[in-house]
């Protein structure tokens, strides 16, 4: 059990070292989940004397006005033998054996944080005392409640102190040690008043009556769940004479044992009993909180790790590290892009839609049969004959009819190229949005997007050239086998004796149109298969293979300053990552501390 208070001590120290002392913050706080005993009292209530009696040493600053202006986390460690000494967390390598020097350091450290303006601060001072005359115990000494500001303090100081005290004691894990002078009416006690507001049932409030030897026997009582503890502090004369604290403890014991009013309660009165009682109670509370604390720590570690993963790694300082970071981010983007094309992520299936729906529909809209009407066939064949009618067949007419149909396929072919290009651009935008690392660096995100779009544009131009070339090849060379298989006409269909506009009869023209339509449909079916192959080869396959190749080449030429400009992470994100990393370190340390403590039920 004695390890439990040490456990909380260690975690508290880690909290303060890493900036967690229960302040208002966007970061999770472990401090508020730790059981703690906060010492509350008005000025001149004897609060400092109680703490010094428990420690057995004079070590707290004294004087007029508000002396305690920062929370003092006082961690007591019982040692079996050896000389008493103290350590401050802000001076980890220095041991204080002179407790007058401890008093001065508390004063100096307060001024370092608050200046000499007599203002207050919620940032705690951590003081550890190692002594054979103490029990294992941690107390948080808070500024004394006051009703009047002194010279040099703001008009809000009274409310500021109350707000600070309240922020500590309103937390359900806080045990309240309310110090009240016995020679005053408890109904007007500052400590009892504020404790009653945050703990109306008194379930976590311990009451301490100071100056009990001066108490008015007719004073009113105030009931708490735990028995009140009376203490007899040193008189001001004793303090001025620096009466030994151990001797003062002995005199306190003798007072209670010999007093008719308190002799029957002597076993549960005095500063020694107070320290032991609080130590035992704190251990009990800590033990009951351990499972919940472990659960909170484990849950928070997972949350912190998750957020840090989302924020990404910090930027390297050297050029090589920056280049590596940039390349890794680009590869992550490239991998996301490829996963869309390969079907691991949605988006790539739209390309097939261009080939299976858009291209066939566009080809169908060309309506070759209307283009091969009798009037159009007659016109083209007649023009192809020129001034002299053909001798065997209107070959030039056939060629012109076929070419005039096939050339219209360029439109759907070009539209298919543009359709796939638009889909690839959309996939790039999706991959950028899905690449967590790119969210860190706005400039790099823009650079990668521009580089990808430029590559896709080059690939589109190459694809358009290759795809239209397929159409042009079909126009430039007709498949002769198709025509050789056609039945030969007995009547050639031409009559040189007729006029120029009546060389071919309608039946013959219809046959020519039908033949051309068959050939064009055959060629169109072939292009319907070859156009997608060309597009995939020139655009899709090439984008998978070398989308950022040119960008990588240029990246290798950049200097450290240029890389830094690309990795222009938001300073707020950098600070957030640093804060989260510190907080994660705190929680992991706490997790280790708890796991290392062996405690019994």
């Amino acid at each position: 059990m004695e390890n439990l208070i040490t456990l909380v001590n260690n975690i508290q120290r880690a909290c303060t070292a890493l900036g967690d002392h229960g302040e208002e913050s966007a970061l999770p706080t472990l401090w508020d989940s730790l059981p703690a005993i906060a010492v509350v009292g008005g000025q001149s209530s004897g609060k400092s004397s109680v703490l010094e009696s428990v420690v057995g040493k004079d070590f707290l600053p004294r004087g007029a006005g508000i002396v305690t202006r920062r929370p003092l986390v006082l961690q007591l460690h019982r040692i079996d033998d050896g000389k008493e000494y103290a350590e401050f967390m802000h001076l980890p390598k220095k041991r204080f054996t002179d407790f007058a020097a401890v008093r001065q350091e508390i004063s100096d450290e307060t001024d370092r944080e608050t200046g000499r303006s007599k203002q207050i601060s919620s940032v705690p001072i951590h003081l550890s005392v190692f002594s054979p005359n103490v029990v294992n115990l941690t107390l948080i000494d808070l500024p004394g409640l006051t009703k009047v500001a002194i010279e040099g303090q703001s008009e809000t100081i009274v409310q500021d102190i109350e707000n600070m005290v309240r922020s500590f004691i309103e937390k359900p894990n806080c045990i309240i040690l309310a110090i009240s002078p016995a020679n005053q009416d408890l109904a007007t006690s500052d400590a009892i008043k504020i404790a009653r507001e945050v703990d109306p049932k008194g379930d976590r409030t311990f009451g301490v009556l100071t100056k009990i030897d001066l108490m008015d026997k007719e004073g009113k009582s105030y009931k708490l769940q735990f028995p009140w503890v009376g203490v007899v502090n040193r008189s001001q004369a004793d303090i001025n004479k620096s009466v030994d604290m151990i001797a003062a403890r002995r005199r306190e014991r003798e007072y209670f044992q010999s007093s008719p009013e308190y002799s029957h309660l002597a076993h549960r009165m005095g500063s020694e009993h107070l320290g032991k009682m609080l130590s035992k109670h704190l251990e009990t509370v800590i033990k009951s909180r351990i499972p919940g604390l472990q659960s909170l720590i484990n849950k928070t570690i997972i949350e912190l790790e998750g957020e840090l993963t989302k924020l990404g790694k910090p930027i390297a300082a050297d050029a090589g590290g920056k280049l590596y970071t940039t390349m890794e981010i680009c590869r992550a983007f490239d991998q996301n892009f490829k996963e869309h094309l390969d079907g691991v992520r949605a988006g790539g299936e739209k390309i097939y839609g261009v080939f299976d729906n858009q291209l066939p529909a566009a080809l169908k809209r060309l309506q070759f049969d209307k283009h091969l009407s009798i009037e159009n066939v007659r016109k083209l064949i007649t023009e192809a004959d020129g001034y002299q009618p053909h001798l065997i067949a209107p070959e030039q007419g056939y060629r012109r009819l076929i070419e005039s149909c096939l050339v219209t396929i360029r439109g759907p072919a070009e539209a298919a190229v543009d359709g796939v290009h638009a889909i690839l651009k959309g996939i790039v935008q999706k991959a950028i949005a899905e690449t967590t690392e790119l969210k860190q660096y706005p400039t790099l995100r823009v650079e990668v997007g521009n580089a990808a779009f430029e590559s896709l544009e080059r690939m589109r131009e190459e694809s358009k050239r290759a795809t239209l070339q397929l159409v042009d090849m079909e126009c430039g060379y007709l498949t002769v086998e198709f025509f050789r298989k056609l039945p030969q006409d007995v009547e050639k269909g031409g009559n040189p004796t007729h006029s120029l506009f009546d060389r071919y009869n309608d039946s013959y023209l219809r046959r020519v149109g039908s033949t051309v339509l068959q050939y064009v449909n055959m060629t169109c079916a072939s292009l319907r298969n070859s156009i997608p192959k060309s597009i995939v080869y020139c655009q899709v396959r090439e984008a998978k293979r070398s989308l950022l190749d040119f960008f990588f080449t240029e990246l290798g030429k950049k200097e450290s300053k240029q890389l830094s400009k690309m990795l222009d992470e938001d300073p707020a994100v950098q600070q957030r990552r640093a804060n989260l990393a510190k907080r994660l370190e705190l929680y992991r340390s706490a997790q280790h501390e708890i796991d290392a403590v062996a405690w019994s039920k």
Side-chain angles (χ1 to χ4, degrees):
M1 287 287 286
E2 64 272 8
N3 288 334
L4 292 176
I5 293 178
T6 302
L7 163 69
V8 173
N9 285 351
N10 291 341
I11 298 176
Q12 278 182 334
R13 290 169 68 85
C15 283
T16 301
L18 293 172
D20 176 11
H21 41 81
E23 77 286 10
E24 288 294 325
S25 171
L27 295 169
T29 173
L30 182 57
W31 177 281
D32 289 348
S33 302
L34 299 173
I37 300 176
V39 185
V40 183
Q43 283 187 314
S44 304
S45 63
K47 183 164 62 75
S48 296
S49 294
V50 171
L51 289 172
E52 290 182 329
S53 294
V54 170
V55 176
K57 285 289 180 183
D58 285 300
F59 69 97
L60 292 174
R62 293 179 182 275
I66 302 167
V67 178
T68 304
R69 291 184 284 119
R70 289 175 61 182
L72 175 66
V73 180
L74 178 60
Q75 298 180 341
L76 307 181
H77 305 266
R78 182 178 178 81
I79 56 176
D80 293 333
D81 50 23
K83 191 172 183 180
E84 298 169 300
Y85 66 93
E87 288 181 349
F88 286 96
M89 197 178 79
H90 63 273
L91 297 172
K93 296 181 180 179
K94 185 173 182 179
R95 278 192 179 186
F96 290 77
T97 54
D98 179 0
F99 280 77
V102 171
R103 181 188 302 115
Q104 186 60 48
E105 182 56 32
I106 292 173
S107 225
D108 292 345
E109 177 61 15
T110 298
D111 287 342
R112 290 186 197 110
E113 177 68 24
T114 64
R116 297 186 179 276
S117 61
K118 302 301 180 184
Q119 297 306 307
I120 62 170
S121 167
S122 62
V123 180
I125 298 172
H126 270 257
L127 172 64
S128 293
V129 175
F130 300 82
S131 169
N133 301 315
V134 299
V135 291
N136 291 317
L137 182 62
T138 299
L139 300 166
I140 303 175
D141 183 25
L142 298 173
L145 297 162
T146 185
K147 293 181 172 63
V148 181
I150 65 170
E151 185 179 352
Q153 291 179 329
S154 70
E155 295 178 359
T156 63
I157 190 71
V158 174
Q159 189 61 48
D160 292 343
I161 291 175
E162 182 178 329
N163 291 343
M164 182 198 290
V165 170
R166 194 182 298 275
S167 71
F168 275 84
I169 66 173
E170 67 186 359
K171 295 179 175 67
N173 290 304
C174 181
I175 301 161
I176 305 167
L177 188 62
I179 311 293
S180 301
N183 61 345
Q184 291 181 9
D185 188 350
L186 287 178
T188 63
S189 164
D190 294 324
I192 291 299
K193 181 183 176 184
I194 197 169
R196 184 188 297 170
E197 290 175 8
V198 299
D199 180 31
K201 294 182 179 179
D203 292 334
R204 50 189 182 86
T205 301
F206 283 85
V208 177
L209 287 175
T210 61
K211 308 178 184 179
I212 201 166
D213 51 328
L214 305 176
M215 183 174 69
D216 177 2
K217 303 301 187 293
E218 300 302 319
K220 295 180 182 178
S221 63
Y222 177 72
K223 187 173 178 60
L224 295 171
Q225 294 294 327
F226 302 101
W228 284 82
V229 177
V231 297
V232 177
N233 296 330
R234 292 177 301 167
S235 66
Q236 189 59 49
D238 290 338
I239 294 172
N240 295 339
K241 293 176 184 176
S242 300
V243 171
D244 179 72
M245 291 297 302
I246 302 304
R249 279 186 186 176
R250 186 172 61 253
R251 284 163 55 178
E252 182 186 43
R253 278 197 307 272
E254 292 170 353
Y255 170 81
F256 285 114
Q257 289 169 354
S258 61
S259 170
E261 293 89 354
Y262 303 112
S263 58
H264 65 293
L265 300 174
H267 64 286
R268 57 183 182 87
M269 290 288 173
S271 54
E272 283 185 286
H273 168 73
L274 176 64
K276 291 174 183 177
M277 180 190 67
L278 291 175
S279 177
K280 185 177 180 180
H281 183 74
L282 183 57
E283 287 173 346
T284 302
V285 172
I286 292 171
K287 184 175 181 180
S288 69
R289 298 287 195 276
I290 287 291
L293 200 55
Q294 285 177 308
S295 176
L296 171 70
I297 288 171
N298 294 337
K299 178 175 177 288
T300 307
I301 285 175
I302 293 171
E303 291 173 352
L304 290 171
E305 288 175 338
E307 188 172 353
L308 276 171
T309 299
K310 288 181 182 178
L311 289 179
K313 297 176 182 178
I315 306 169
D318 60 298
K322 289 173 183 174
L323 179 60
Y324 176 81
T325 298
T326 306
M327 295 285 283
E328 284 296 293
I329 293 171
C330 291
R331 289 191 187 100
F333 155 75
D334 198 44
Q335 182 60 33
N336 288 339
F337 177 77
K338 289 175 181 176
E339 287 178 2
H340 279 287
L341 293 178
D342 293 337
V344 178
R345 301 170 187 250
E349 75 283 353
K350 293 180 181 177
I351 294 174
Y352 178 71
V354 171
F355 303 148
D356 197 48
N357 298 312
Q358 180 182 321
L359 179 61
L363 292 173
K364 191 174 182 180
R365 283 195 297 270
L366 294 176
Q367 297 182 325
F368 297 121
D369 53 341
K370 291 186 178 180
H371 184 74
L372 295 171
S373 64
I374 289 178
E375 291 75 14
N376 202 40
V377 170
R378 178 184 284 114
K379 178 177 180 294
L380 287 177
I381 286 179
T382 302
E383 289 174 354
D385 282 346
Y387 69 91
Q388 178 173 289
H390 68 273
L391 298 178
I392 299 175
E395 180 172 324
Q396 289 303 319
Y398 269 108
R399 289 186 181 279
R400 289 194 183 183
L401 281 169
I402 292 171
E403 287 171 9
S404 68
C405 288
L406 291 183
V407 76
T408 62
I409 298 176
R410 288 175 64 96
E414 198 167 355
V417 170
D418 291 339
V420 170
H421 176 74
I423 291 169
L424 290 174
K425 283 184 69 175
I427 291 175
V428 165
Q429 290 170 331
K430 279 187 177 181
I432 287 175
E434 293 166 353
T435 305
T436 306
E437 296 86 347
L438 282 176
K439 294 177 183 177
Q440 292 177 239
Y441 312 111
T443 300
L444 180 59
R445 184 168 64 242
V446 171
E447 292 274 356
V448 168
N450 290 342
F453 291 151
E454 287 172 9
S455 290
L456 291 179
E457 191 62 43
R458 288 194 296 269
M459 293 168 192
R460 173 166 71 166
E461 292 307 311
E462 175 58 27
S463 179
K464 194 170 287 187
R465 185 194 65 77
T467 302
L468 294 180
Q469 203 169 51
L470 288 176
V471 179
D472 293 343
M473 284 190 285
E474 293 292 352
C475 294
Y477 187 80
L478 306 183
T479 304
V480 69
E481 290 299 320
F482 174 84
F483 294 97
R484 285 175 178 170
K485 292 177 182 177
L486 293 175
Q488 298 298 313
D489 293 330
V490 177
E491 181 186 352
K492 301 306 179 186
N495 188 344
T497 63
H498 290 181
S499 69
L500 181 64
F501 298 104
D502 192 24
R503 292 179 184 174
Y504 310 104
N505 59 46
D506 288 353
S507 175
Y508 183 76
L509 292 174
R510 276 194 291 271
R511 193 179 304 118
V512 170
S514 175
T515 300
V516 170
L517 182 61
Q518 288 180 53
Y519 183 84
V520 169
N521 283 337
M522 178 192 75
T523 306
C524 192
S526 174
L527 285 172
R528 179 179 168 179
N529 292 324
S530 58
I531 286 173
K533 292 178 181 179
S534 172
I535 292 173
V536 167
Y537 184 83
C538 295
Q539 287 174 269
V540 182
R541 177 177 172 274
E542 195 62 20
K544 281 181 65 177
R545 189 183 69 83
S546 62
L547 183 65
L548 294 181
D549 278 8
F550 182 77
F551 181 68
F552 286 151
T553 301
E554 294 300 306
L555 203 59
K557 301 175 184 177
K558 293 185 182 295
E559 297 179 354
S560 181
K561 287 185 178 179
Q562 293 172 304
L563 292 170
S564 295
K565 288 181 180 178
M566 294 178 68
L567 298 174
D568 61 339
E569 187 175 35
D570 184 348
V573 174
Q574 293 182 22
Q575 188 60 50
R576 177 73 176 174
R577 184 191 296 108
N579 292 341
L580 286 171
K582 286 182 179 180
R583 203 53 60 102
L584 180 59
E585 179 186 343
L586 164 63
Y587 275 81
R588 283 176 175 163
S589 172
Q591 186 183 53
H592 175 74
E593 291 280 355
I594 291 176
D595 291 344
V597 169
W599 54 280
S600 58
K601 293 183 180 180

